[in-house]
Amino acid sequence: MELEPSSSDATSAPAALFAWGANSYGQLGLGHKEDVFLPQQLNDFCKPVCVRRIAGGGGHSAVVTDGGSLFVCGLNKDGQLGLGHTEDVLYFTPCKSLIGCPIQQVACGWDFTIILTENGQVLSCGSNSFGQLGVPHGPGRCVVPQAIELLREEVVSIAAGLRHALAATASGIVFQWGTGLASSGRRLCPGQTLPLFLTAKEPSRVPGLENSKAICVVAGSDHSASLADSGELYVWGSNKRGQLASQAAFLPVPQKIEAHCFQNEKVTAVWSGWTHLVAQTETGKVFTWGRADYGQLGRKLESEEGWRPEKQGSPLPCSRPWESTPSSLHCLTGATEISCGSEHNLAVIGGACYSWGWNEHGMCGDGSEADVQAPKPVQALQSSPGLLVGCGAGHSLALCQLPALPS
């Protein structure tokens, strides 16, 4: 889930987009395909002060402007950039087929893109190998965004995982499509018949949420989550890394995470990496849980000394590099922006941009490739307050206010 910047409208100081991390396909929009270990400013881009949302996928990036234009770059092997071709794109490029159709939100999966228009319609492009485009009888891929006709209600939130996608409607109903969760469901629930929505290649209503009104959906590699207007968080799918805060190996239908896990506070926002989750509560506290072996939870685990390789056939061994109980990270309290990559994270706290987690491609922006175990400020951005952040699987983007020039 991306929040909208609060400070960019209030100030006329110039802002700029910065990019760093994995760049094998040009997903940083810098015009080349070399990984970048320190934030680099993008100079040839749309008026950056009007960037509204930033999102990233397996190897592509997408930015929505205040005017509702969509700019994309990076890996395009399956047409996930929606530009009508399958060549990689090294600079942020406007999605011309959407001109005149203002965009509200964009969600990037591994090799596909889900787009929400300002009038609540959902479009999709990219790979459809697992039905993740929501177009049941469509081709194996689609290179131009097309409407998901079966979503007839106005949609307010979208999410894209590795091979599945979600939408929440204005009336609070959650739909899911794409078969991405089915293989782990069959493996972890032998002999059980999976609910139909886990194998659907078209939007299928998620059962078990009838008594709540969803306002936001998020997706991981193998799980889904829905936040209700009551502040309750529901999760389902694979729990292999403890990301569902449950004892079950797989949850075929949504289960509420008990309020005491969040110190009895309402959850107001949620974000998901591939196998970890981050939630913020009404008082600004930030909780993390799930997989932890790259530092993606931003804290040391008590049982760290006892980690052992996972045993065959044991979905939840006793010593494990993950944490299935949400725990608050004091240093992130009051964060105004958060974004999760596959195994790394960005946050904005008091105007400072923080990063932590997996850093093999430099996506934490500290100039090294060593994983970052606790949130720390991105030093290269210390004079440029963060307004908005967004992560791809292994790359990072931030909209920052530029320091005022001496008059």
Side-chain angles (χ1 to χ4, degrees):
M1 174 184 174
E2 308 91 359
L3 300 180
E4 300 194 16
S6 47
S7 36
S8 60
D9 309 324
T11 175
S12 55
L17 201 57
F18 290 82
W20 63 99
N23 194 34
S24 313
Y25 309 101
Q27 61 261 52
L28 299 184
L30 294 166
H32 62 80
K33 291 189 174 185
E34 303 292 320
D35 288 359
V36 171
F37 295 88
L38 290 167
Q40 278 195 25
Q41 185 176 333
L42 280 89
N43 297 317
D44 310 317
F45 192 52
C46 65
K47 268 175 63 185
V49 77
C50 67
V51 170
R52 181 199 292 171
R53 293 185 183 266
I54 303 168
H60 65 298
S61 304
V63 165
V64 180
T65 68
D66 270 350
S69 297
L70 178 65
F71 286 75
V72 289
C73 67
L75 180 61
N76 195 31
K77 181 173 73 74
D78 292 295
Q80 55 263 60
L81 301 186
L83 298 175
H85 61 79
T86 54
E87 301 295 314
D88 293 352
V89 174
L90 305 186
Y91 294 97
F92 276 102
T93 302
C95 193
K96 289 208 169 70
S97 69
L98 297 176
I99 288 173
C101 173
I103 302 308
Q104 171 67 29
Q105 189 192 343
V106 61
C108 300
W110 179 251
D111 51 11
F112 66 102
T113 306
I114 305 291
I115 300 158
L116 176 62
T117 69
E118 284 191 353
N119 63 10
Q121 189 179 34
V122 182
L123 314 170
S124 62
C125 58
S127 169
N128 198 30
S129 309
F130 296 86
Q132 62 267 56
L133 298 189
V135 186
H137 308 295
R141 67 182 188 197
C142 181
V143 298
V144 175
Q146 59 184 337
I148 300 181
E149 302 288 357
L150 290 160
L151 273 175
R152 296 188 183 91
E153 287 190 63
E154 181 192 348
V155 168
V156 294
S157 174
I158 53 171
L162 196 67
R163 299 179 176 121
H164 74 290
L166 299 150
T169 68
S171 61
I173 296 169
V174 176
F175 289 89
Q176 181 171 305
W177 61 94
T179 60
L181 275 56
S183 56
S184 58
R186 290 190 192 100
R187 193 171 64 250
L188 297 169
C189 304
Q192 254 183 277
T193 304
L194 293 181
L196 287 173
F197 82 96
L198 291 179
T199 55
K201 295 186 176 184
E202 58 196 53
S204 183
R205 184 170 177 168
V206 178
L209 296 170
E210 292 76 15
N211 298 324
S212 67
K213 181 183 178 184
I215 54 170
C216 164
V217 284
V218 297
S221 63
D222 239 7
H223 67 263
S224 302
S226 166
L227 177 62
D229 63 354
S230 58
E232 295 173 322
L233 185 59
Y234 292 83
V235 289
W236 61 97
S238 171
N239 191 34
K240 189 176 176 189
R241 305 289 184 174
Q243 64 264 47
L244 305 187
S246 163
Q247 290 305 305
F250 188 91
L251 292 176
V253 290
Q255 181 172 299
K256 184 173 75 178
I257 297 182
E258 294 303 327
H260 67 78
C261 292
F262 304 111
Q263 298 172 15
N264 291 310
E265 293 187 15
K266 290 181 177 177
V267 175
T268 53
V270 62
W271 302 267
S272 184
W274 277 162
T275 42
H276 72 288
L277 281 112
V278 180
Q280 189 167 35
T281 61
E282 54 195 336
T283 63
K285 291 182 187 131
V286 175
F287 293 77
T288 64
W289 67 100
R291 189 173 176 179
D293 50 351
Y294 294 106
Q296 57 268 62
L297 299 190
R299 53 193 160 89
K300 276 221 172 347
L301 300 196
E302 289 161 24
S303 60
E304 208 162 343
E305 305 77 39
W307 288 0
R308 289 195 301 270
E310 287 178 46
K311 295 190 208 73
Q312 280 304 111
S314 166
L316 293 176
C318 50
S319 306
R320 55 191 188 242
W322 63 80
E323 179 58 70
S324 59
T325 306
S327 185
S328 69
L329 270 181
H330 299 299
C331 60
L332 293 179
T333 299
T336 50
E337 288 288 330
I338 295 177
S339 182
C340 299
S342 63
E343 311 287 3
H344 78 290
N345 314 265
L346 297 175
V348 177
I349 307 148
C353 187
Y354 284 71
S355 65
W356 69 99
W358 184 39
N359 199 24
E360 184 183 347
H361 300 279
M363 54 279 242
C364 288
D366 63 356
S368 85
E369 289 181 81
D371 295 343
V372 177
Q373 301 296 325
K376 66 177 186 183
V378 180
Q379 291 298 331
L381 296 175
Q382 59 183 359
S383 58
S384 308
L387 302 171
L388 188 61
V389 288
C391 297
H395 63 287
S396 301
L397 296 157
L399 178 71
C400 297
Q401 209 168 303
L402 296 174
L405 296 169
S407 50

